[in-house]
Amino acid sequence: LRSPFGKQAAEMGFADSGVQRVAKAIARLRSNFSQQMKVTDLADLVHMSVSSFNEHFKSVTSMSPLQYQKALRLHEARRLMFSESRNASTASRLVGYISISQFSRDYSRFFGISPSRDIARWRQQEQIPHD
């Protein structure tokens, strides 16, 4: 640390600790994505202020913590619909949505297609013989 590069080495350690803290929050979000989460609880988990946590989280993921959780939910719902043949209503409930209409709006914004059309398109593609 006393070398000419010591300051940079020390700063990398500090920067990495922020990344490690965000990784801990991400792990919590991944294991509990269907549960309601508060940003304050995640910030407390990683011993950061809410503003610092939000800043670090966005620098690592390019999303806010709640946007990240929503993306996790939507990807899991899509997986349930495609690989487990769940309907949109069941999938939305399983990933933590209370309102099917809110789920449909979020899904359409995120994937660019409504859940019902996405399922229909996927089923149609599955029926096409693949070489």
Side-chain angles (χ1 to χ4, degrees), residues 9 24 30 42 51 53 74 94:
K24 184 176 182 180
R30 284 181 177 266
L42 291 169
S51 60
F53 174 68
L74 292 170
L94 289 172

Side-chain angles (χ1 to χ4, degrees), residues 63 67 70-71 74-75 105-113:
M63 296 182 219
Q67 288 170 327
K70 185 185 292 186
L74 292 170
H75 279 289
R105 279 191 298 274
D106 288 348
Y107 191 100
S108 296
R109 275 189 218 119
F110 193 80
F111 292 113
I113 189 169

